[in-house]
C-alpha cells in the first residue's frame, strides 16, 4: 500500500485541478483550477497558501522574474501578482470550444503546451505547440486533447499523452533546438485516459489516469511497473520532488452522490515515491 495523503485539507477542492509545477528555489508548489480560473501557490515547509483569480481558463502557471507565466484559454500571458494585470506574450486565434490545455517546461526551460477540443462531438483538430519568443509554433496537429508532457532524465526523449486515443507517444528530442523526431508509441492503454505526466530519476514515466483513480508507472520500454491507487477517480497531473509525488485531481463531472462518496475529489495529494522494489 502506497503512503498517500491529502496535501492540506484546509484548502478547497478544485473543480478541475491541473498543471502541477515545482519551484525548487522557493520550495513552492503551483497548480491551477482550470474551470474556476484560479492559480494556487503553496509553500510546502510552512503550509502557507496563496491564490489568484484570472480572467479566463488557466491550465498552467510558473514563476519568472517576479511574475507568473500563464497558459490561459487563448494563449500565453505574463501575470503581475501585485497589480493583477495579464499581459499577452503569444495568443492563438482558436475556434469556439477550443482552449489551451496542459503545459510543461522542458529541461531547458522551453514551454510546451497543447490545445483541447471541448465540444460535445470533438474533432481531431487540436494541436501540440512550443513557445518560441512571442510565437506559439504548431508542432503537430490531429488531436482531440493534446495533454501531458514529460522528458527523460537526460532530456533526449519527450513523452506526450494523447488522452483521447489512450496513448503515450515518445519522440527523440533535440534540447538545443526544441524539436522532435521519430514519433512512436510508448504504450497504448486500452480504455485508459492518460493525462498529466512526469518522470523519475530512473527514467520511468508516471501517468495520471483520469477517470481510473490511479497513476500508472511505465518503464522507458513501455512496460507497466506499478500502479498507485488514489481514493478519488480523476487524477490530472503530477510532479515528483525527491521522494514526494504531488498529484492534482478534479471533481469535474461527478454527480452529487459521487462527490459524497469521494469527498477529497479535487484535492492535491502527496504520495511516497519510489514504490517498493523500484530502485
Amino acid at each position: 500500500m502506497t503512503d498517500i495523503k491529502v496535501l492540506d485539507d484546509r484548502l478547497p477542492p478544485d473543480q478541475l485541478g491541473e498543471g502541477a509545477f515545482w519551484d525548487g528555489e522557493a520550495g513552492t508548489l503551483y497548480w491551477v483550477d482550470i474551470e474556476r480560473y484560479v492559480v494556487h501557490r503553496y509553500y510546502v515547509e510552512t503550509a502557507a497558501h496563496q491564490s489568484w483569480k484570472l480572467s479566463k481558463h488557466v491550465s498552467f502557471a510558473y514563476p519568472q522574474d517576479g511574475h507568473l507565466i500563464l497558459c490561459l484559454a487563448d494563449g500565453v500571458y505574463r501575470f503581475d501578482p501585485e497589480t493583477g494585470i495579464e499581459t499577452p506574450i503569444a495568443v492563438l486565434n482558436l475556434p469556439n470550444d477550443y482552449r489551451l490545455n496542459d503545459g510543461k517546461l522542458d529541461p531547458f526551460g522551453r514551454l510546451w503546451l497543447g490545445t483541447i477540443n471541448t465540444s460535445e462531438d470533438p474533432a481531431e483538430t487540436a494541436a501540440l505547440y512550443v513557445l518560441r519568443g512571442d510565437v506559439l509554433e504548431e508542432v503537430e496537429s490531429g488531436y482531440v486533447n493534446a495533454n501531458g508532457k514529460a522528458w527523460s532524465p537526460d532530456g533526449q526523449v519527450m513523452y506526450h499523452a494523447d488522452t483521447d486515443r489512450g496513448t503515450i507517444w515518445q519522440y527523440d528530442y533535440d534540447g538545443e533546438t526544441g524539436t522532435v523526431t521519430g514519433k512512436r508509441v510508448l504504450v497504448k492503454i486500452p480504455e485508459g485516459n492518460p493525462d498529466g505526466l512526469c518522470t523519475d530519476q530512473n527514467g520511468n514515466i508516471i501517468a495520471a489516469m483520469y477517470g481510473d483513480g490511479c497513476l500508472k508507472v511505465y518503464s522507458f520500454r513501455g512496460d507497466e511497473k506499478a500502479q498507485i491507487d488514489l481514493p478519488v477517480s480523476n487524477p490530472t497531473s503530477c510532479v515528483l520532488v525527491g521522494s514526494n509525488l504531488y498529484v492534482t485531481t478534479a471533481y469535474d463531472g461527478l454527480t452529487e452522490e459521487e462527490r459524497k462518496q469521494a469527498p477529497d475529489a479535487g484535492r492535491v495529494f502527496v504520495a511516497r515515491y519510489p514504490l517498493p522494489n523500484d530502485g
Side-chain angles (χ1 to χ4, degrees), residues 158-170:
M158 175 176 163
Y159 303 100
H160 179 218
D162 183 351
T163 302
D164 193 64
R165 295 187 179 98
T167 299
I168 301 175
W169 301 99
Q170 59 180 337

PDB file of all heavy atoms in Angstrom, residues 158-170:
ATOM      1  N   MET A 158      11.187  12.871 -25.386  1.00  0.00           N
ATOM      2  CA  MET A 158       9.983  13.574 -24.935  1.00  0.00           C
ATOM      3  C   MET A 158       8.809  12.608 -24.986  1.00  0.00           C
ATOM      4  O   MET A 158       8.691  11.797 -25.908  1.00  0.00           O
ATOM      5  CB  MET A 158       9.703  14.778 -25.825  1.00  0.00           C
ATOM      6  CG  MET A 158       8.403  15.503 -25.523  1.00  0.00           C
ATOM      7  SD  MET A 158       8.206  16.999 -26.549  1.00  0.00           S
ATOM      8  CE  MET A 158       6.446  17.300 -26.360  1.00  0.00           C
ATOM      9  N   TYR A 159       7.950  12.699 -23.970  1.00  0.00           N
ATOM     10  CA  TYR A 159       6.739  11.888 -23.902  1.00  0.00           C
ATOM     11  C   TYR A 159       5.519  12.812 -23.971  1.00  0.00           C
ATOM     12  O   TYR A 159       5.554  13.923 -23.438  1.00  0.00           O
ATOM     13  CB  TYR A 159       6.707  11.075 -22.608  1.00  0.00           C
ATOM     14  CG  TYR A 159       7.912  10.178 -22.444  1.00  0.00           C
ATOM     15  CD1 TYR A 159       8.975  10.554 -21.621  1.00  0.00           C
ATOM     16  CD2 TYR A 159       7.993   8.966 -23.124  1.00  0.00           C
ATOM     17  CE1 TYR A 159      10.091   9.738 -21.475  1.00  0.00           C
ATOM     18  CE2 TYR A 159       9.111   8.140 -22.976  1.00  0.00           C
ATOM     19  CZ  TYR A 159      10.150   8.545 -22.155  1.00  0.00           C
ATOM     20  OH  TYR A 159      11.249   7.738 -22.029  1.00  0.00           O
ATOM     21  N   HIS A 160       4.454  12.336 -24.580  1.00  0.00           N
ATOM     22  CA  HIS A 160       3.258  13.167 -24.760  1.00  0.00           C
ATOM     23  C   HIS A 160       2.011  12.296 -24.641  1.00  0.00           C
ATOM     24  O   HIS A 160       1.894  11.267 -25.330  1.00  0.00           O
ATOM     25  CB  HIS A 160       3.297  13.849 -26.136  1.00  0.00           C
ATOM     26  CG  HIS A 160       2.107  14.693 -26.436  1.00  0.00           C
ATOM     27  ND1 HIS A 160       1.535  14.765 -27.683  1.00  0.00           N
ATOM     28  CD2 HIS A 160       1.364  15.505 -25.633  1.00  0.00           C
ATOM     29  CE1 HIS A 160       0.504  15.582 -27.652  1.00  0.00           C
ATOM     30  NE2 HIS A 160       0.381  16.044 -26.425  1.00  0.00           N
ATOM     31  N   ALA A 161       1.088  12.695 -23.767  1.00  0.00           N
ATOM     32  CA  ALA A 161      -0.150  11.944 -23.544  1.00  0.00           C
ATOM     33  C   ALA A 161      -1.225  12.382 -24.534  1.00  0.00           C
ATOM     34  O   ALA A 161      -1.611  13.546 -24.573  1.00  0.00           O
ATOM     35  CB  ALA A 161      -0.639  12.147 -22.113  1.00  0.00           C
ATOM     36  N   ASP A 162      -1.685  11.430 -25.314  1.00  0.00           N
ATOM     37  CA  ASP A 162      -2.778  11.610 -26.274  1.00  0.00           C
ATOM     38  C   ASP A 162      -4.010  10.985 -25.624  1.00  0.00           C
ATOM     39  O   ASP A 162      -4.315   9.813 -25.829  1.00  0.00           O
ATOM     40  CB  ASP A 162      -2.383  10.907 -27.573  1.00  0.00           C
ATOM     41  CG  ASP A 162      -3.387  11.069 -28.697  1.00  0.00           C
ATOM     42  OD1 ASP A 162      -4.489  11.579 -28.439  1.00  0.00           O
ATOM     43  OD2 ASP A 162      -3.055  10.663 -29.830  1.00  0.00           O
ATOM     44  N   THR A 163      -4.710  11.784 -24.822  1.00  0.00           N
ATOM     45  CA  THR A 163      -5.736  11.244 -23.928  1.00  0.00           C
ATOM     46  C   THR A 163      -6.838  10.517 -24.687  1.00  0.00           C
ATOM     47  O   THR A 163      -7.243   9.415 -24.312  1.00  0.00           O
ATOM     48  CB  THR A 163      -6.332  12.373 -23.073  1.00  0.00           C
ATOM     49  OG1 THR A 163      -5.287  12.995 -22.335  1.00  0.00           O
ATOM     50  CG2 THR A 163      -7.380  11.844 -22.108  1.00  0.00           C
ATOM     51  N   ASP A 164      -7.348  11.115 -25.737  1.00  0.00           N
ATOM     52  CA  ASP A 164      -8.495  10.544 -26.444  1.00  0.00           C
ATOM     53  C   ASP A 164      -8.173   9.188 -27.049  1.00  0.00           C
ATOM     54  O   ASP A 164      -9.049   8.321 -27.123  1.00  0.00           O
ATOM     55  CB  ASP A 164      -8.959  11.512 -27.532  1.00  0.00           C
ATOM     56  CG  ASP A 164     -10.317  11.139 -28.097  1.00  0.00           C
ATOM     57  OD1 ASP A 164     -11.293  11.170 -27.325  1.00  0.00           O
ATOM     58  OD2 ASP A 164     -10.394  10.786 -29.295  1.00  0.00           O
ATOM     59  N   ARG A 165      -6.918   8.982 -27.454  1.00  0.00           N
ATOM     60  CA  ARG A 165      -6.524   7.701 -28.053  1.00  0.00           C
ATOM     61  C   ARG A 165      -5.963   6.729 -27.016  1.00  0.00           C
ATOM     62  O   ARG A 165      -5.563   5.611 -27.376  1.00  0.00           O
ATOM     63  CB  ARG A 165      -5.475   7.927 -29.150  1.00  0.00           C
ATOM     64  CG  ARG A 165      -5.981   8.707 -30.354  1.00  0.00           C
ATOM     65  CD  ARG A 165      -4.926   8.734 -31.451  1.00  0.00           C
ATOM     66  NE  ARG A 165      -5.393   9.449 -32.629  1.00  0.00           N
ATOM     67  CZ  ARG A 165      -5.105  10.718 -32.906  1.00  0.00           C
ATOM     68  NH1 ARG A 165      -4.346  11.425 -32.065  1.00  0.00           N
ATOM     69  NH2 ARG A 165      -5.557  11.305 -33.991  1.00  0.00           N
ATOM     70  N   GLY A 166      -5.893   7.136 -25.755  1.00  0.00           N
ATOM     71  CA  GLY A 166      -5.350   6.256 -24.725  1.00  0.00           C
ATOM     72  C   GLY A 166      -3.901   5.886 -24.981  1.00  0.00           C
ATOM     73  O   GLY A 166      -3.469   4.768 -24.686  1.00  0.00           O
ATOM     74  N   THR A 167      -3.135   6.843 -25.498  1.00  0.00           N
ATOM     75  CA  THR A 167      -1.776   6.554 -25.946  1.00  0.00           C
ATOM     76  C   THR A 167      -0.786   7.549 -25.347  1.00  0.00           C
ATOM     77  O   THR A 167      -1.078   8.742 -25.245  1.00  0.00           O
ATOM     78  CB  THR A 167      -1.697   6.630 -27.483  1.00  0.00           C
ATOM     79  OG1 THR A 167      -2.591   5.655 -28.049  1.00  0.00           O
ATOM     80  CG2 THR A 167      -0.288   6.373 -27.980  1.00  0.00           C
ATOM     81  N   ILE A 168       0.376   7.051 -24.956  1.00  0.00           N
ATOM     82  CA  ILE A 168       1.510   7.905 -24.629  1.00  0.00           C
ATOM     83  C   ILE A 168       2.536   7.739 -25.745  1.00  0.00           C
ATOM     84  O   ILE A 168       3.018   6.628 -25.994  1.00  0.00           O
ATOM     85  CB  ILE A 168       2.132   7.562 -23.275  1.00  0.00           C
ATOM     86  CG1 ILE A 168       1.090   7.706 -22.156  1.00  0.00           C
ATOM     87  CG2 ILE A 168       3.334   8.473 -22.981  1.00  0.00           C
ATOM     88  CD1 ILE A 168       1.574   7.263 -20.785  1.00  0.00           C
ATOM     89  N   TRP A 169       2.825   8.842 -26.428  1.00  0.00           N
ATOM     90  CA  TRP A 169       3.812   8.836 -27.501  1.00  0.00           C
ATOM     91  C   TRP A 169       5.191   9.184 -26.942  1.00  0.00           C
ATOM     92  O   TRP A 169       5.311   9.842 -25.920  1.00  0.00           O
ATOM     93  CB  TRP A 169       3.445   9.869 -28.571  1.00  0.00           C
ATOM     94  CG  TRP A 169       2.115   9.671 -29.224  1.00  0.00           C
ATOM     95  CD1 TRP A 169       0.941  10.316 -28.930  1.00  0.00           C
ATOM     96  CD2 TRP A 169       1.813   8.779 -30.300  1.00  0.00           C
ATOM     97  NE1 TRP A 169      -0.074   9.872 -29.747  1.00  0.00           N
ATOM     98  CE2 TRP A 169       0.436   8.924 -30.604  1.00  0.00           C
ATOM     99  CE3 TRP A 169       2.576   7.859 -31.036  1.00  0.00           C
ATOM    100  CZ2 TRP A 169      -0.192   8.201 -31.612  1.00  0.00           C
ATOM    101  CZ3 TRP A 169       1.950   7.138 -32.044  1.00  0.00           C
ATOM    102  CH2 TRP A 169       0.583   7.308 -32.318  1.00  0.00           C
ATOM    103  N   GLN A 170       6.216   8.772 -27.683  1.00  0.00           N
ATOM    104  CA  GLN A 170       7.570   9.205 -27.364  1.00  0.00           C
ATOM    105  C   GLN A 170       8.252   9.688 -28.643  1.00  0.00           C
ATOM    106  O   GLN A 170       7.928   9.238 -29.745  1.00  0.00           O
ATOM    107  CB  GLN A 170       8.381   8.107 -26.694  1.00  0.00           C
ATOM    108  CG  GLN A 170       8.546   6.837 -27.500  1.00  0.00           C
ATOM    109  CD  GLN A 170       9.370   5.801 -26.746  1.00  0.00           C
ATOM    110  OE1 GLN A 170      10.150   6.119 -25.866  1.00  0.00           O
ATOM    111  NE2 GLN A 170       9.186   4.526 -27.084  1.00  0.00           N
TER     112      GLN A 170
END
